[in-house]
Amino acid sequence: MIKNNFFLAGMISAGIFSNVNVKAQCSPVSEFSENFDAYSCCAMGVVPTCWDSIMEQGGNQIISSSSPASGTSNVYQFGYGKISIVVMPQLTNINAGTHHFKFKVRVGSGSGQLDFGYITNINDMSTFVTLESLTITNNSYDSTSERILTVPATVPTDARLAIRNPGTTWAGHYWDDAVWEPVSGLGVRDNNLKSLKIYPNPFHDVLNIPDAEKISTVTISDVTGKIIKRDIKPEMKLQLRDLNTGVYFINLHYKNGEDRSVKVVRK
């Protein structure tokens, strides 16, 4: 087993003091599954081996034993007006398009927000890039708590996935059962990708999507990988007149577990 070195470093970035729980000597992995049960409440900044925690002074991130989704522990992030970021281990395939990130999330009460994205420098929280902002209203791990998130090929190879509490709400955020796993049905997706016809491309205002009844979710991301539009109940015709001229990726998430992504151009 590789030994991990821990040290708590004070960081001054843009005039804001931050705490960074730094870990060294960790090799990148191709998959992980973490339920946080090897860690206990309630020291500040505790995360699993080869993960990292970054907090502004006054931000809060701990391992909590309060009603986890499974086992005995889950992650807790809080801090109105203060940021905390939990950084996942380095990955060998972060932008390969073969895997997705899955986790379960809830709030203690009210409505919360967490950002899913990546960070390129764990010593500088300003290098965090949001791929998708998640609004969370369920206060238990119910049927709506699981989120499955795709990572576009545009993410830098040396980046690390991360969950950020941006400090925009008073909610306490809990999350558990974090998994980086292969996309199911990937072989079928690859074999049939050329037969997928989204038209017209380039388009003006409307895109036609075949087999819309087989799709659970459509997301649209820009060339940086940031998700800018989500259609929970996709229709055969997507109305996209609100998009600016440019290049976009249409990400189709099928009910059978397949994911497909198509580059389109809006005139």
Side-chain angles (χ1 to χ4, degrees):
M1 180 180 294
I2 298 173
K3 181 179 179 181
N4 291 276
N5 297 323
F6 298 73
F7 62 94
L8 189 65
M11 180 185 73
I12 299 176
S13 176
I16 301 174
F17 180 87
S18 299
N19 286 330
V20 184
N21 190 4
V22 183
K23 303 180 181 179
Q25 301 180 10
C26 287
S27 298
V29 297
S30 60
E31 297 179 27
F32 65 79
S33 179
E34 180 59 68
N35 66 4
F36 310 103
D37 289 350
Y39 307 88
S40 59
C41 189
C42 295
M44 195 75 70
V46 172
V47 288
T49 301
C50 297
W51 293 47
D52 286 287
S53 177
I54 311 172
M55 291 174 287
E56 285 185 354
Q57 190 175 28
N60 183 318
Q61 181 275 305
I62 62 171
I63 299 294
S64 170
S65 59
S66 177
S67 302
S70 66
T72 58
S73 300
N74 52 184
V75 173
Y76 176 79
Q77 288 177 272
F78 174 74
Y80 181 67
K82 303 295 182 181
I83 296 171
S84 67
I85 303 174
V86 175
V87 184
M88 294 168 229
Q90 289 180 294
L91 298 168
T92 61
N93 51 3
I94 189 171
N95 55 11
T98 57
H99 289 58
H100 58 214
F101 177 68
K102 178 174 70 176
F103 77 140
K104 296 174 183 176
V105 61
R106 68 178 179 89
V107 289
S109 62
S111 178
Q113 178 187 328
L114 290 178
D115 296 332
F116 170 70
Y118 64 88
I119 192 166
T120 57
N121 181 356
I122 64 168
N123 294 308
D124 184 356
M125 63 169 53
S126 70
T127 65
F128 178 89
V129 176
T130 300
L131 293 174
E132 184 169 1
S133 290
L134 308 175
T135 299
I136 306 144
T137 57
N138 54 295
N139 57 19
S140 65
Y141 288 115
D142 58 20
S143 59
T144 68
S145 65
E146 184 170 85
R147 307 293 183 98
I148 299 176
L149 303 154
T150 58
V151 178
T154 50
V155 171
T157 301
D158 59 351
R160 292 172 62 181
L161 298 181
I163 299 289
R164 177 177 69 174
N165 171 24
T168 55
T169 74
W170 285 104
H173 305 80
Y174 298 84
W175 51 277
D176 201 358
D177 295 346
V179 180
W180 177 248
E181 64 179 7
V183 176
S184 61
L186 185 61
V188 175
R189 181 197 67 179
D190 289 343
N191 291 335
N192 294 336
L193 189 57
K194 291 183 179 179
S195 65
L196 180 62
K197 301 294 183 183
I198 291 181
Y199 64 94
N201 191 12
F203 71 98
H204 285 290
D205 296 329
V206 178
L207 268 179
N208 295 286
I209 297 182
D211 299 325
E213 71 280 1
K214 298 179 181 179
I215 299 170
S216 60
T217 305
V218 175
T219 59
I220 301 174
S221 56
D222 61 20
V223 292
T224 69
K226 181 178 181 180
I227 293 178
I228 57 175
K229 190 175 180 68
R230 175 185 288 273
D231 190 349
I232 300 299
K233 295 182 179 179
E235 304 291 340
M236 182 177 240
K237 294 182 181 290
L238 284 183
Q239 301 290 336
L240 300 174
R241 61 176 56 90
D242 56 331
L243 296 183
N244 295 325
T245 299
V247 177
Y248 298 91
F249 290 90
I250 308 298
N251 306 299
L252 308 176
H253 311 281
Y254 286 79
K255 295 176 182 177
N256 66 359
E258 294 179 39
D259 288 331
R260 302 185 186 182
S261 181
V262 178
K263 183 169 71 173
V264 297
V265 178
R266 186 175 193 273
K267 290 182 179 179

